[in-house]
Amino acid sequence: MFEQKLFVEVAEKLSDVLGCNDKNLAAIKKKYDVEVVLEDISIKIRGKVEDNVAKAHTVLKIVYDKVLNNENITAQKLNKIINSVENGTETSADVGVKGIKPLTKGQKEYIRKIEENTITFGIGPAGTGKTYLAVVSAVKAFKNRDVSRIILTRPAVEAGESLGFLPGDMQAKVDLYLRPLYDALFEMFGAETFKKHVEKGVIEVAPIAYMRGRTLENAFIILDEAQNTTDEQLKMFLTRLGSGSKMVITGDTTQIDLPVSKKSGLIKAIEILQDIPDISVHRFTDVDIVRHKLVQDIVNAYAKNA
């Protein structure tokens, strides 16, 4: 059996999606020979044919988006949606982060690996877009309702600084340190929508220590600056993976800020996990640097003098 989930943010709209006396649901089940199970915040679609499950998921996703825009889904409109999906002229995959596309061959390959694997490591120098594109993928998965929340985390290790020297209380210090992750989400959601999602717990940005003891289900989880995790921390993080979740771990193994006495958990993790199915390692090069050209020159100069 194949299975997909559609996560529903606005539960009160569910009856409009299903239709009067569940007529929309019945039509979709009949068309694609699938089983549909309603859960608290999701619709589970199951079937024997993978393509049928995917199409039923797409139809329900499009119907849900139209309902959120206060459209009334009549039998005629539903048939039109189904025909569009069958013809390939309408797809929920188009719903994502508009105007943001990979700029290099390496970036395209990175996004493909994220889509096809449960765990992806993105390794490379500054400016390659490894964190930004991971956030883009997370937002796309969330907007397509492939996951119900986004979790972003970093180890609290600073490049020659200490949280104790930053202004404000502990939360303010942590927020300041996590600012790069906030900035990417602000850009994609807008500040107001981002704030609402944080208040609802749909988006969580926190230091890696906050992950301990949890099982993270139905989430897109990103660990940034993973080169600054210890072996124990990274193992702890990876074992938080729950059902329906996807992980992306990013880092630059040439920029380790851990004390000399501690080894980077990222280096060990890549060595021992890269041959496991459904885990992928993507290595960026200086060719993938999309910041100012000088950044590429700087990275190359340091590499030659390492």
Side-chain angles (χ1 to χ4, degrees):
M1 294 287 282
F2 296 94
E3 180 180 302
Q4 287 195 30
K5 279 186 177 182
L6 175 72
F7 291 95
V8 181
E9 293 177 63
V10 188
E12 57 267 26
K13 293 286 187 179
L14 191 56
S15 60
D16 295 327
V17 173
L18 304 180
C20 182
N21 297 319
D22 292 350
K23 286 185 178 179
N24 292 346
L25 182 60
I28 293 169
K29 289 168 67 176
K30 182 179 180 181
K31 171 68 178 178
Y32 295 108
D33 188 25
V34 293
E35 175 186 336
V36 179
V37 179
L38 305 181
E39 299 180 337
D40 289 340
I41 60 168
S42 67
I43 303 172
K44 183 187 294 183
I45 306 111
R46 303 177 65 201
K48 295 179 181 179
V49 181
E50 185 175 13
D51 190 52
N52 283 357
V53 172
K55 286 179 177 178
H57 178 274
T58 299
V59 170
L60 280 166
K61 168 69 179 68
I62 293 168
V63 169
Y64 180 64
D65 284 343
K66 290 183 182 297
V67 165
L68 287 182
N69 288 322
N70 297 316
E71 289 190 40
N72 180 32
I73 306 300
T74 62
Q76 183 179 6
K77 189 171 288 187
L78 178 62
N79 285 333
K80 185 177 180 181
I81 293 170
I82 290 173
N83 290 334
S84 296
V85 171
E86 289 294 315
N87 296 330
T89 57
E90 189 164 13
T91 168
S92 67
D94 294 331
V95 180
V97 186
K98 295 181 180 179
I100 300 175
K101 296 180 179 180
L103 300 176
T104 69
K105 184 178 179 180
Q107 289 186 342
K108 290 178 182 178
E109 180 69 6
Y110 178 51
I111 289 178
R112 183 189 66 78
K113 287 179 179 178
I114 291 174
E115 291 176 347
E116 295 180 357
N117 294 276
T118 298
I119 298 176
T120 302
F121 288 85
I123 313 301
T128 53
K130 56 187 182 293
T131 300
Y132 190 77
L133 291 174
V135 175
V136 169
S137 297
V139 172
K140 181 177 180 180
F142 175 74
K143 289 188 174 182
N144 283 336
R145 294 175 180 84
D146 297 327
V147 297
S148 61
R149 55 184 174 149
I150 298 172
I151 299 172
L152 298 96
T153 184
R154 298 177 102 190
V157 176
E158 303 75 41
E161 298 176 349
S162 169
L163 287 175
F165 289 99
L166 297 174
D169 59 18
M170 182 52 68
Q171 186 59 52
K173 293 173 183 179
V174 167
D175 285 350
L176 185 61
Y177 182 70
L178 297 169
R179 178 56 55 189
L181 299 178
Y182 283 124
D183 288 346
L185 289 167
F186 281 165
E187 181 177 343
M188 293 172 216
F189 280 112
E192 193 62 34
T193 301
F194 170 76
K195 183 179 178 181
K196 289 179 181 178
H197 285 328
V198 170
E199 289 172 352
K200 291 179 181 178
V202 170
I203 293 176
E204 180 180 350
V205 186
I208 192 171
Y210 285 44
M211 303 298 112
R212 189 174 297 279
R214 302 170 62 184
T215 300
L216 306 174
E217 298 184 343
N218 301 320
F220 197 115
I221 312 148
I222 298 172
L223 170 58
D224 189 34
E225 300 287 356
Q227 76 275 5
N228 288 329
T229 59
T230 63
D231 185 32
E232 293 79 7
Q233 284 178 320
L234 191 47
K235 180 181 177 183
M236 176 276 291
F237 173 78
L238 291 168
T239 54
R240 300 308 93 200
L241 182 70
S243 62
S245 288
K246 188 182 286 284
M247 281 183 169
V248 179
I249 298 95
T250 69
D252 179 356
T253 53
T254 70
Q255 296 290 325
I256 298 171
D257 299 314
L258 291 168
V260 178
S261 59
K262 292 186 178 181
K263 294 183 178 180
S264 171
L266 179 60
I267 295 175
K268 182 177 180 180
I270 295 170
E271 290 175 354
I272 66 176
L273 301 178
Q274 61 184 344
D275 295 326
I276 296 178
D278 211 20
I279 295 180
S280 178
V281 177
H282 182 80
R283 292 179 172 85
F284 290 96
T285 68
D286 59 290
V287 175
D288 297 305
I289 295 175
V290 293
R291 291 181 185 168
H292 194 287
K293 183 186 177 300
L294 274 177
V295 175
Q296 190 175 106
D297 295 338
I298 292 168
V299 169
N300 288 334
Y302 272 94
K304 289 175 181 178
N305 287 274

